[in-house]
């Protein structure tokens, strides 16, 4: 038998939806097998079945030709199956080393034997090029590093079959390149990888074969080498997707947002988180904040929306100073905000979809009367957004947000923030975790809003998005605006150089 | 069998089912302890607990009477849990509420008719609200953990009330508070006519209706109002609530304040029930406050569920009195009842398992 894992005719149902409908997937030893599909197609569900988190209604799993029962993650680990989840599962106040050995600690007379573990972890990290500091606390390291810890966790458990659920969604382009290399190194060592991503170029770059899911059904498995990007996206969405966005010339009008000399000091003395930030966003333009993650973009957005107090400087919206306004004051004044972290800020996961869609407008007279929520109106409003933005879930407006797929959670936030018809839309990584069809739709929406005379401040780590969508690019480096670029006149190389901090001072 | 199972799961919400399962586990544990302590009398004693509350109309009235204060403290704890806070201070809020009710009941006899007991209730609500608001303010503006502040307030409340009772409304012959004037007693509203056994009249009064009304009001606040929407959002995810511009500090203060008011009202409903109950000057925290915790747990923090949970626990208490006929010492009875209550509460860990079964059953269709 050449297949290490065979998932045959898997069917998994949730209330109101068949997440996996008779899906068959076969993983060869030593291959990188991509899993592609729209948001809510059932990719995470299928992988969770393999990892023992869900019990399928029908179907059979075989390992090396033998049928196996996987009742939980412990069974999966015993069978050599490991998984890096869409949202990581690390203990934040533990060190890297402690997280890696957690659950499989070796002990002697009841005491932890960390020395052996440390040696092993260091060896593994050298062998696969996964540099980490074993003694760093998880809360202190970057998302990219956290992912390495997750990978080391799988390797430490000597897993042979590695599942990566959208590993690249949270990474910077540099980190993605590194991850691709690491994955290739892993299969060269004889491991087999299942890889979920929405980015077709990543599939092209590393995957050998690709299985496509659509609405829970398996559309087919293809050899990546013999399939074009267009064919892949058509298989996934069922129609042709234009990967390039058309947009009319922008006609900037009057200034909407004006930032003057903004400073935010860090917790530790020394470097400022933000120093002397000044820029404008005008009507009818998309301004993009580009930069490598962690150069002050998040802090700038928090400062603009009122979630982080500033030490000095002025923020004005349509000529009015809002520096002292509350978060609510600013949002009612016309700022809407698609946050970076959808689980932390964007959603109340235990509320249903309808309640999440009114999170920024429940206090408006449309949705309440005399302090009482108008539930029927809320639901019909939710239904209209669900329809317009194609938010897919098991039970429509009444679905608990927690049970929705990652991409559909994101679509819900975008729908809410765009529909509030703000004057200024601050969108942080709005297309993170979305499928190509949805990205196309969201990009069109952003350009449409721009056409309506809104100002848009886009924060993105994706160079393609930065170059395609924006009218102006502000590059941030170490809490300062390092350069202002015109996407039509600049190159990826130039942009990259400024992002790395080695460009000439303000150009253009 | 499979079919029956599915029908059951569909008609009964998984939540209520988990509470019922928990109670069964608790009862079983109680029976085991009974067997260990006195095997020959165990079945009879156990039956007494189970049936005692229903033995006659008077007992049934007693069930309502004992349920009233713990429904109030249960609501207090449950309401806070829904908003992400742990109110372990119900005991202190309860006793200051009770004291204020007695104070007004004894001293303000000049108030005409119904105004007297209403004024006494309002005073209790205000005192409880104040006692709850202090930990709320400390948490919101000084970042003091509400559990610690609540425990402090419990002791301050107990010693303060002991002290001030001796100064104001002390009946030194009985070492406890004086009896409130008749006009301060909560009306019976015919409950004394229904819930009696011949001349043996139960202590049931319209306080139970007030507790049920409070539960309904809390339910409406939580589920139907903008205020509840904000409070629950804070409870589920503070960061998201902040992002949405909800003032989470104000939320913390309000929810502790409301919780305090509920417990305070509970105190008033007990001491103005006209059953001869008064605040005894002893150094123990009011048990009604702590019993609110299992009541809220068993009721799954749902206000309506809390009414039933309160009734259930009170039913056991009344049944427990009947066990004395089987020669069980009162202490043993208390232990047994506590075991049933706490085992039930712990068994709620079953909730997850039950829901899984229901999900699987429901998924197939
Ligand atoms: N625990 C759950 N309870 C109920 N429904 C669920 C649950 N998990 C997933 N679903 C539903 O199953 C469908 C498939 O979800 P899944 O997370 O597998 O999608 P996905 O392909 O990973 O999408 P994405 O690309 O957005 O991550 C979705 O419609 C989702 O609403
Ligand atoms: Mg997913």
């Amino acid at each position: 038998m050449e297949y290490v894992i065979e998932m045959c005719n898997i069917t998994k149902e949730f209330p109101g939806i068949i997440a996996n409908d008779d899906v068959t997937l076969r993983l060869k030893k030593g291959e990188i097998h991509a899993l592609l599909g729209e948001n809510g197609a059932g990719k995470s569900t299928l992988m969770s079945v393999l990892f023992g988190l869900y019990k399928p209604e029908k179907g059979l799993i075989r390992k090396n030709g033998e049928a196996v029962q996987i009742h939980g993650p412990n069974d999966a680990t015993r069978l050599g199956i490991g998984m890096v989840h869409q949202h990581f599962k690390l203990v934040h106040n533990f060190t890297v080393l402690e997280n890696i050995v957690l659950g499989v600690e070796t002990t002697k007379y009841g005491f932890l034997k960390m020395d052996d573990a440390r040696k092993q972890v260091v060896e593994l990290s050298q062998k696969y090029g996964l540099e980490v500091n074993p003694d760093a606390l998880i809360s202190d390291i970057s998302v990219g590093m956290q992912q390495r810890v997750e990978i080391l966790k799988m390797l430490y458990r000597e897993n042979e079959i590695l599942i990566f659920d959208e590993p690249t969604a949270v990474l910077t382009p540099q980190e993605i390149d590194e991850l691709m290399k690491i994955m290739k190194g892993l299969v060269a060592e004889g491991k087999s990888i299942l890889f979920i991503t929405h980015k077709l170029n990543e599939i092209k770059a590393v995957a050998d074969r690709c299985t496509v899911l659509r609405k829970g059904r398996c559309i087919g498995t293809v050899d990546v080498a013999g399939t074009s990007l267009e064919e892949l996206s058509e298989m996934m969405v069922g129609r042709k997707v234009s990967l390039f966005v058309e947009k009319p010339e922008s006609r900037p009008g009057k200034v909407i947002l004006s930032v003057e000399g903004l400073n935010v000091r860090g917790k530790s003395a020394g470097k400022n988180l933000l120093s002397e930030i000044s820029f404008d966003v005008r009507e009818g333009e998309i301004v993009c904040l580009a930069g490598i993650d962690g150069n002050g973009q998040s802090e700038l957005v928090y400062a603009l929306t009122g979630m982080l107090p500033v030490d000095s400087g002025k923020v004005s919206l349509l000529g009015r100073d809002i520096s002292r306004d509350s978060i609510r004051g600013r949002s009612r004044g016309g700022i809407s905000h698609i946050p970076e972290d959808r689980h932390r800020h964007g959603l109340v996961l235990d509320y249903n979809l309808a309640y999440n869609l009114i999170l920024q407008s429940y206090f408006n007279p449309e949705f309440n009367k005399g302090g009482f929520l108008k539930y029927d109106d809320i639901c019909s409003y939710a239904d209209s957004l669900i329809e317009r933005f194609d938010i897919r879930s098991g039970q429509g407006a009444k679905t608990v947000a927690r049970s929705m797929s990652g991409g559909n959670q994101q679509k819900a936030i975008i729908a809410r923030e765009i529909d509030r018809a703000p004057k200024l839309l601050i969108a942080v990584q709005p297309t993170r975790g979305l499928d190509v069809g949805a990205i196309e739709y969201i990009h069109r929406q952003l350009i449409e809003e721009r056409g309506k005379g809104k100002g848009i401040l886009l924060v993105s780590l994706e160079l393609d998005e930065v170059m395609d969508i924006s009218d102006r690019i502000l590059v941030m480096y170490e809490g300062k605006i390092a350069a202002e670029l015109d996407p039509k006149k600049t190159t990826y190389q130039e942009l990259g150089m400024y992002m790395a901090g080695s460009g000439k001072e303000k150009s253009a | 069998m499979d079919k029956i199972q599915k029908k059951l799961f569909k008609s009964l919400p998984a939540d209520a089912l988990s509470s019922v399962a928990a109670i069964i586990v608790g009862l079983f544990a109680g029976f085991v302890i009974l067997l260990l302590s006195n095997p020959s009398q165990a079945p009879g004693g156990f039956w007494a607990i189970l049936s005692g509350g229903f033995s006659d109309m008077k007992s049934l009235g007693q069930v309502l009477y004992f349920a009233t204060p713990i429904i109030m403290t249960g609501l207090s704890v449950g309401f806070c849990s829904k908003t992400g806070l742990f109110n372990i201070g119900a005991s202190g809020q309860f006793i200051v509420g009770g004291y204020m009710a007695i104070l007004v009941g004894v001293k303000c006899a000049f108030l005409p008719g119904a105004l007297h007991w209403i004024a006494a209730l309002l005073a209790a609500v205000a005192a409880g609200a104040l006692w709850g608001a202090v930990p709320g303010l400390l948490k919101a503006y000084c970042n003091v953990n509400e559990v610690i502040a609540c425990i402090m307030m419990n002791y301050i409340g107990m010693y303060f009330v002991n002290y001030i009772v001796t100064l104001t409304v002390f009946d030194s012959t009985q070492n406890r508070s004086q009896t409130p004037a008749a006009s301060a007693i909560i009306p019976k509203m015919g409950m004394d006519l229904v819930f009696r056994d011949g001349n043996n009249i139960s202590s049931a009064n319209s306080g139970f209706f007030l507790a049920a009304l409070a539960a309904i009001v809390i339910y409406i606040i939580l589920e139907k109002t903008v205020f509840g929407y904000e409070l629950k959002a804070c409870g589920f995810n503070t960061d998201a609530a902040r992002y949405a511009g909800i003032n989470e500090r104000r939320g913390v203060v309000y929810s502790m304040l409301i919780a305090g008011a509920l417990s305070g009202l509970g105190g008033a409903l007990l001491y103005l029930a006209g059953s001869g109950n008064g605040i005894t000057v002893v150094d123990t925290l009011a048990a009604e406050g702590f019993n609110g915790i299992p009541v809220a747990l068993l009721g799954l923090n749902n206000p309506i569920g809390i009414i039933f949970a309160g009734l259930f626990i009170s039913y056991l208490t009344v049944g427990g009195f009947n066990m004395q006929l089987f020669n069980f010492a009162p202490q043993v009875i208390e232990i047994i009842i506590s075991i049933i209550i706490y085992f039930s509460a712990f068994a709620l860990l079953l909730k997850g398992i039950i829901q899984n079964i229901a999900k699987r059953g429901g998924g197939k269709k």
Side-chain angles (χ1 to χ4, degrees), chain A residues 14-15 40 54 86-87 342-359 375 382 386 391-413 416, chain B residues 229 236-237 240:
Chain A
F14 289 116
Y54 292 135
Q86 203 164 352
H87 306 100
R342 58 177 170 242
H343 282 182
R344 178 151 174 233
H345 291 121
L347 296 167
V348 178
L349 287 172
D350 296 292
Y351 269 166
N352 65 24
L353 180 52
Y355 272 15
N356 272 292
L357 288 172
I358 58 160
L359 192 60
Y375 193 67
I386 289 168
I391 306 168
R392 294 181 198 172
S393 62
Q395 293 156 304
K398 296 192 174 60
T399 316
V400 177
R402 191 182 288 288
S403 79
M404 291 167 54
S405 83
N408 283 296
Q409 292 175 342
Q410 182 70 17
K411 284 200 246 174
I413 297 171
R416 177 180 77 211
Chain B
Y229 176 90
F236 285 136
N237 183 349

Side-chain angles (χ1 to χ4, degrees), chain B residues 134 241 347:
Chain B
V134 172

Side-chain angles (χ1 to χ4, degrees), chain A residues 364-382:
Chain A
N364 286 339
E366 306 155 68
F367 301 127
N368 78 85
K369 193 175 169 193
F372 283 85
L373 292 170
K374 297 200 266 189
Y375 193 67
D376 292 339
D377 294 357
I378 291 168
C379 284
S380 57
Y381 170 72

Side-chain angles (χ1 to χ4, degrees), chain A residues 13 15-16 55 57 307-308 327-328 337-339 343-348 350-351 355-356 358-360 362 368 371-373 413 416-417, chain B residues 220-234 236-247 359-360 362-365:
Chain A
E13 297 177 28
K55 193 175 155 46
E57 270 81 44
M307 291 162 76
L308 181 74
I327 299 173
R328 174 67 54 83
H337 173 197
I338 298 169
H343 282 182
R344 178 151 174 233
H345 291 121
L347 296 167
V348 178
D350 296 292
Y351 269 166
Y355 272 15
N356 272 292
I358 58 160
L359 192 60
Q360 298 269 27
Y362 64 87
N368 78 85
F372 283 85
L373 292 170
I413 297 171
R416 177 180 77 211
E417 298 304 318
Chain B
I220 291 174
I221 289 179
L222 280 174
E223 302 300 326
K224 307 280 177 203
T225 68
V226 171
F227 181 56
Y229 176 90
E230 290 183 333
L231 288 183
K232 277 197 300 178
C234 291
F236 285 136
N237 183 349
T238 329
D239 287 320
R242 215 169 92 76
Y243 153 84
I246 296 168
N247 187 338
K359 213 187 280 171
R360 264 184 236 160
K364 278 179 208 160
K365 292 240 164 66

Side-chain angles (χ1 to χ4, degrees), chain A residues 43-44 86 165-166 405-406:
Chain A
K43 306 177 294 294
S44 297
Q86 203 164 352
D165 192 349
E166 287 192 46
S405 83

